[in-house]
Amino acid sequence: MALILNGKEVADTLKQKITQEVSEMVANGHRAPHLVAILVGNDGGSQTYVAAKEKACHEVGFSGSVIRYESTLTEEELLEKIAEINQNPEIDGLIVQLPLPKHINETKITQAILPEKDVDGFHDVNMGQLAKGNDGIVSATPLGITMILAHYGIETSGKHAVIIGRSNIVGRPISILLSNPGKTGNATVTVCHSRTENLSFYTKQADIIVAAIGKPGFVTGDMVKEGAVVIDVGTTRVDDASKKAGWRLCGDVDFESVEKVASAITPVPGGVGPMTITALLNNTLKARKAQL
Ligand code: GUN
């Protein structure tokens, strides 16, 4: 029976710490951190995520606001808004929720946000700092994963971590974080992806597996070494008539078979998901503190 790594509990503990820091900041006469999220269009998932981010801001005492646009917004109009927010000293963090409508170039938008305000950590400057092991803003999901590992005292140094997925948002940055020197680092990392041959050969050797491919139930018990730590980043909506919403969230890991062999596992929901928002709050607080 694996230990369930309770992301909700870790997130709540960290949120309490952030709340405390914000109240001290305000008591010392400083403005609370302010995060702005831009949402373009009406994608259901994006609306839910952005609303959850705004709610979390208010829970810890941040100012949080959402700017909503119709999907007809032009790239130029969005760039103008970003430029305006970049100049606004009252705003510490800016995120543009992805995906964007097809006519807007996501790379162009991501690179238009000032690196100091890029609390998603998607800007090339922040990705570059990460790659060089320098201090910068690390994207929320990978940072949240390392926070879970740290909270449960899971040793990464000298361990073999196998990452499944090479996305810029999760796979690539978590592979760098785990191999960088420092706490929750110093691992030997293998990055697997859609072109990897004989994936099980690698996963069966892993002390730590991070599954971030967006394929529900992809990692099964027979692919996992006895005692491995398994981190499930998947959040695919699958139809489920028994749920009020008509769907449920499904991870990349087949929980039932994997928890029998793993020593620790993150559930979906309630594992990595809650940590992602807390890591975003952490980044916004960091951006605010850099201005003091
Ligand atoms: N879409 C899915 N995940 C994310 C995220 O972490 N940040 C932004 N901006 N968009 C997303």
Side-chain angles (χ1 to χ4, degrees), residues 111-173:
Q111 302 310 313
I113 299 171
L114 263 189
E116 296 89 326
K117 297 194 183 194
D118 165 42
V119 286
D120 261 330
F122 294 168
H123 195 286
D124 287 356
V125 165
N126 285 318
M127 287 289 279
Q129 299 289 27
L130 174 67
K132 293 181 85 174
N134 294 336
D135 189 39
I137 298 180
V138 177
S139 66
T141 302
L143 182 61
I145 293 170
T146 61
M147 287 168 161
I148 292 182
L149 296 173
H151 180 90
Y152 284 96
I154 293 168
E155 184 61 79
T156 54
S157 181
K159 303 294 178 193
H160 183 196
V162 171
I163 317 299
I164 315 174
R166 56 180 165 182
S167 72
N168 285 330
I169 296 186
V170 185
R172 184 79 60 205

Side-chain angles (χ1 to χ4, degrees), residues 73-276:
L73 183 81
T74 66
E75 185 178 283
E76 201 178 7
E77 286 166 330
L78 183 53
L79 287 168
E80 270 170 28
K81 191 66 194 175
I82 291 169
E84 182 194 313
I85 294 171
N86 281 344
Q87 299 292 322
N88 186 340
E90 306 279 311
I91 297 171
D92 309 292
L94 169 62
I95 60 171
V96 177
Q97 190 66 24
L98 306 178
L100 287 166
K102 293 271 177 290
H103 64 278
I104 301 180
N105 181 327
E106 284 185 358
T107 305
K108 216 165 161 181
I109 296 304
T110 306
Q111 302 310 313
I113 299 171
L114 263 189
E116 296 89 326
K117 297 194 183 194
D118 165 42
V119 286
D120 261 330
F122 294 168
H123 195 286
D124 287 356
V125 165
N126 285 318
M127 287 289 279
Q129 299 289 27
L130 174 67
K132 293 181 85 174
N134 294 336
D135 189 39
I137 298 180
V138 177
S139 66
T141 302
L143 182 61
I145 293 170
T146 61
M147 287 168 161
I148 292 182
L149 296 173
H151 180 90
Y152 284 96
I154 293 168
E155 184 61 79
T156 54
S157 181
K159 303 294 178 193
H160 183 196
V162 171
I163 317 299
I164 315 174
R166 56 180 165 182
S167 72
N168 285 330
I169 296 186
V170 185
R172 184 79 60 205
I174 191 66
S175 72
I176 299 169
L177 274 176
L178 290 173
S179 65
N180 275 350
K183 207 174 145 209
T184 66
N186 289 318
T188 303
V189 176
T190 301
V191 180
C192 298
H193 45 77
S194 54
R195 302 290 175 95
T196 298
E197 291 178 8
N198 198 1
L199 180 70
S200 289
F201 171 80
Y202 300 99
T203 58
K204 276 184 194 161
Q205 296 175 39
D207 302 305
I208 299 167
I209 295 176
V210 179
I213 33 166
K215 288 188 181 171
F218 183 80
V219 177
T220 47
D222 58 321
M223 297 167 70
V224 177
K225 183 173 82 172
E226 186 85 33
V229 173
V230 180
I231 307 292
D232 188 352
V233 188
T235 52
T236 307
R237 287 182 178 190
V238 296
D239 292 342
D240 186 341
S242 73
K243 301 282 176 195
K244 210 170 101 191
W247 54 267
R248 68 187 154 85
L249 276 189
C250 197
D252 290 346
V253 174
D254 176 45
F255 188 88
E256 208 187 318
S257 62
V258 172
E259 73 140 357
K260 293 190 175 88
V261 278
S263 63
I265 183 169
T266 59
V268 175
V272 174
M275 288 306 300
T276 296

